[in-house]
Amino acid sequence: MTLGQLREVAAECKLPSFSAKQMAKWLYEKRVIEIDQMTDISLRGRDALKAKYCVGLCAPKAEARSVDGTIKCLFEGKGGRDIEAVLIPDKDRATICVSSQAGCKMGCKFCMTGRQGFHGNLDASDIINQIMSIPRSEDLTNIVFMGMGEPLDNFSPVMDAIEILTAPWGFAWSPKRITVSSIGKLPELKRLLDETKVHVAISVHLPFADERASLMPSERAFPISKIMTLLREYDFAHQRRLTVEYIMWRGLNDDMRHADALARLLAGTDCRVNLIRYHALPDSELQTASEDSMIAFRERLNSRGITATIRASRGEDIQAACGMLAGEAKK
């Protein structure tokens, strides 16, 4: 819960208004697992809280560990489908990739989550639980909303989770430690940019509208040209960062024509491009671009003044890499 919601709880349970900040400190700083551990709240107050509420932390149902150290966790989801979160350790960094929905409505043909269909939105509690209950939770340095679902299609719970993560009464994280990835759902993207200072990652993948629409149906509602027009209104040259995600497929979007079109699309925008290896899905005709073509694509973008890097693939052996999260049907 946010501080405002905790104030409502305090009023409902006839506790002093300052009890909201006490509860927030116990939940997010001290990370208690039981209401009885909130010892600066009166015994009578704790009994009133326990009658209606619980802390609500829920451990993963299952874990899978990759040879590269990546850990994928299965959590309670929504609508008959459980969800997954991924811990990615890397030297002095530990990043969690969190899910915001069970399944997804966007229908991207290259994404395993999209192929599952939509099962339900996660609450802020479901999102924060992934962060607090994953192994090595207290060592986390970064959070990316890049798991199952389109974060901006579940806007209010995602914004509540960001508030809890960044507020001084919550985790007190810098927004620079958080990245929200999106296909570019325009009204909510504008609100995210206006109301937070988190980093943004936009899934482009194809610079030509007709080709993008063939794999990403959202292009018809939210054209990439309009998304880039919006993004040019914001400052990404200083503390906030804009990343363009570009999955590469053999013979589809990995040639110089596409590199030049992507450079034109991004002109006038301070961004960096992440080139991502496609992780093949069952029954898909799409194929992974060759290493040589990815390097040539990167060099072409760099020569056009656009910073591009090839993202290292993590967790592919446990189906934890980009586009591979599917969750699991509830048992």
Side-chain angles (χ1 to χ4, degrees):
M1 290 185 174
T2 65
L3 186 61
Q5 291 164 338
L6 290 172
R7 287 194 180 105
E8 293 175 4
V9 170
E12 179 187 8
C13 295
K14 296 181 170 51
L15 298 175
S17 59
F18 62 77
S19 298
K21 283 193 174 181
Q22 291 176 309
M23 286 186 278
K25 184 171 183 177
W26 286 111
L27 291 169
Y28 304 126
E29 182 180 332
K30 297 184 179 296
R31 300 189 180 213
V32 300
I33 59 174
E34 299 288 347
I35 289 172
D36 278 331
Q37 294 174 281
M38 301 179 179
T39 52
D40 58 358
I41 296 175
S42 69
L43 181 60
R44 182 175 177 181
R46 279 177 271 161
D47 286 341
L49 286 172
K50 287 190 296 181
K52 296 184 177 182
Y53 298 97
C54 65
V55 171
L57 285 173
C58 183
K61 291 183 169 185
E63 294 181 12
R65 295 180 179 251
S66 167
V67 294
D68 64 24
T70 299
I71 302 173
K72 182 173 72 170
C73 294
L74 185 73
F75 287 98
E76 182 74 20
K78 297 289 182 184
R81 192 157 203 95
D82 289 327
I83 55 98
E84 293 173 327
V86 179
L87 173 68
I88 308 166
D90 184 18
K91 298 178 183 177
D92 58 346
R93 292 165 60 93
T95 300
I96 182 174
C97 180
V98 296
S99 294
S100 54
Q101 295 178 311
C104 186
K105 299 177 188 175
M106 299 301 110
C108 298
K109 295 182 181 179
F110 49 83
C111 176
M112 184 64 85
T113 306
R115 291 169 63 169
Q116 306 303 316
F118 178 70
H119 299 273
N121 285 324
L122 301 188
D123 300 327
S125 58
D126 301 313
I127 297 170
I128 296 295
N129 183 66
Q130 295 170 64
I131 295 162
M132 297 187 71
S133 298
I134 203 160
R136 294 183 54 190
S137 171
E138 294 190 14
D139 297 331
L140 291 173
T141 60
N142 298 85
I143 293 171
V144 292
F145 286 81
M146 293 184 183
M148 298 173 64
E150 163 55 55
L152 300 188
D153 193 44
N154 188 22
F155 189 74
S156 291
V158 167
M159 291 291 281
D160 283 349
I162 291 172
E163 181 181 355
I164 291 165
L165 289 165
T166 58
W169 50 261
F171 287 85
W173 276 33
S174 165
K176 291 185 290 184
R177 297 169 67 178
I178 302 169
T179 300
V180 175
S181 176
S182 175
I183 53 88
K185 200 161 182 274
L186 278 168
E188 291 81 4
L189 177 59
K190 179 170 173 50
R191 285 192 59 191
L192 180 77
L193 292 165
D194 289 341
E195 298 173 25
T196 78
K197 296 182 180 179
V198 299
H199 298 316
V200 175
I202 298 296
S203 298
V204 175
H205 308 317
L206 291 143
F208 298 110
D210 56 342
E211 293 180 4
R212 191 170 187 260
S214 70
L215 291 184
M216 300 176 67
S218 63
E219 166 68 20
R220 299 183 182 95
F222 309 111
I224 191 59
S225 59
K226 290 187 177 180
I227 294 166
M228 298 312 302
T229 297
L230 172 67
L231 292 170
R232 288 188 191 97
E233 298 176 7
Y234 294 85
D235 178 14
F236 295 104
H238 296 91
Q239 294 198 359
R240 173 180 261 177
R241 186 171 64 237
L242 171 63
T243 302
V244 166
E245 308 285 3
Y246 193 90
I247 296 174
M248 295 195 65
W249 297 285
R250 182 180 305 228
L252 182 61
N253 69 343
D254 61 346
D255 56 26
M256 295 304 101
R257 183 175 72 93
H258 286 81
D260 291 340
L262 181 61
R264 290 193 298 272
L265 178 69
L266 303 182
T269 307
D270 287 300
C271 68
R272 67 177 188 182
V273 177
N274 263 346
L275 303 178
I276 303 169
R277 292 177 180 84
Y278 172 63
H279 303 102
L281 304 181
D283 305 319
S284 174
E285 295 180 355
L286 298 170
Q287 296 183 325
T288 305
S290 70
E291 185 74 13
D292 287 345
S293 67
M294 292 187 71
I295 292 172
F297 200 97
R298 179 191 65 193
E299 297 307 308
R300 183 66 156 241
L301 290 177
N302 289 343
S303 73
R304 298 284 297 264
I306 295 172
T307 300
T309 57
I310 298 173
R311 181 193 287 175
S313 181
R314 299 289 300 273
E316 187 172 4
D317 58 320
I318 57 168
Q319 286 74 55
C322 181
M324 301 185 80
L325 297 186
E328 190 173 285
K330 288 188 179 183
K331 298 176 182 178

